[in-house]
Amino acid sequence: SCGVPPRPSTDRGRIDPAEACEERVRGEGGQRVRLGGLVRRLPGATLTGNPRREVRGITHDSRRVQRGWIFAALPGQNAHGLDFLDRALEAGAAAFLSDRTRPAGVDVNWVTVAPPRPATANAAWALAGDPQDDLRLLAVTGTNGKSTTAHLISLLLAASKIPNAFIGTLGARFPDGCEEPLERTTPEATDLAPLLRKAVDAGAAAIAMEVSSHALMQDRLAGLRFEVGVWTNLSRDHLDYHGDMESYFAAKRRLFTDHLADGGRRVLP
């Protein structure tokens, strides 16, 4: 994982990139933001609690809640985030963000918004200091070839002297040489925002990213606008999730209808 400058290794007096990257703290909170100001960035959201309370991070995973963070209690396929309310409270959550109202007897700052995933994404960008504003975003979607295409884009950017990062199935790679494994091809917004911040802090001016149909359907990229969108192909896959090819196509298409910047370029097969 990544987050601090490299230091010389003790055995040869040379920089050991692997050792340096291991020192970095994954998922460390970003800048402190007052809840009132944050909620104003979330359309349709209402705050029950103290608008002056400062928060410094957000996560959708109750196991990763830190003191002073927001826990985004999202609906899932098998459970709802509020099933883990007690765990998040014990970990020191300063606020909750959910599509459900605050339960009776719970005394904690509460942001209610529906749907909750776009709001979670926009809160994540804000708490990371809006790193997307300092990056040229290039996305690749398609059933096959995403990793290869995004990797080639990263290499072409580097050959053009544009420092860049890569995010996808192969993990995250930053221009300072650090690499980080990822659980998903396109991370949840609460995981993606710190990666974008790390990319900027490592000197990246652009980022080549694989974008999955799941991420598009689940609004993990809400609020992001891509300068270039690439579609490699479409074949039968993930129908257990999407149901049919028409729905699968519609999910992929959202990269171009919902997330392409004004004047952005489409690259189609």
Side-chain angles (χ1 to χ4, degrees), residues 125 128-138 157 162-167 173-175 192-209 224-228 261:
W125 317 140
D130 291 305
Q132 73 279 6
D133 293 343
D134 297 319
L135 291 165
R136 300 174 67 180
L137 302 178
L138 302 93
L157 289 168
I162 300 174
N164 68 91
F166 168 92
I167 291 176
R173 185 181 64 248
F174 303 95
L192 179 58
L195 292 174
L196 298 183
R197 170 48 54 194
K198 290 176 184 179
V200 172
D201 292 346
I207 190 159
M209 184 188 309
L224 296 188
R225 295 294 179 264
F226 292 87
E227 183 175 321
V228 176

Side-chain angles (χ1 to χ4, degrees), residues 240-252:
D240 56 329
Y241 179 79
H242 295 290
D244 53 55
M245 286 296 292
E246 288 74 17
S247 298
Y248 183 34
F249 170 83
K252 293 289 191 184

Side-chain angles (χ1 to χ4, degrees), residues 67-156:
R67 188 165 299 279
W69 281 28
I70 298 172
F71 175 51
L74 304 176
Q77 287 184 295
N78 302 311
H80 194 285
L82 287 187
D83 296 340
F84 308 98
L85 181 146
D86 290 340
R87 176 188 289 175
L89 287 172
E90 290 172 3
F96 284 69
L97 184 154
S98 181
D99 56 333
R100 298 181 181 177
T101 57
R102 186 171 68 178
V106 175
D107 184 18
V108 66
N109 297 297
W110 200 274
V111 179
T112 306
V113 60
R117 282 186 172 274
T120 297
N122 284 304
W125 317 140
L127 286 162
D130 291 305
Q132 73 279 6
D133 293 343
D134 297 319
L135 291 165
R136 300 174 67 180
L137 302 178
L138 302 93
V140 180
T141 196
T143 307
N144 299 303
K146 291 190 297 296
S147 296
T148 298
T149 304
H151 179 63
L152 289 172
I153 291 172
S154 177
L155 292 177
L156 288 169

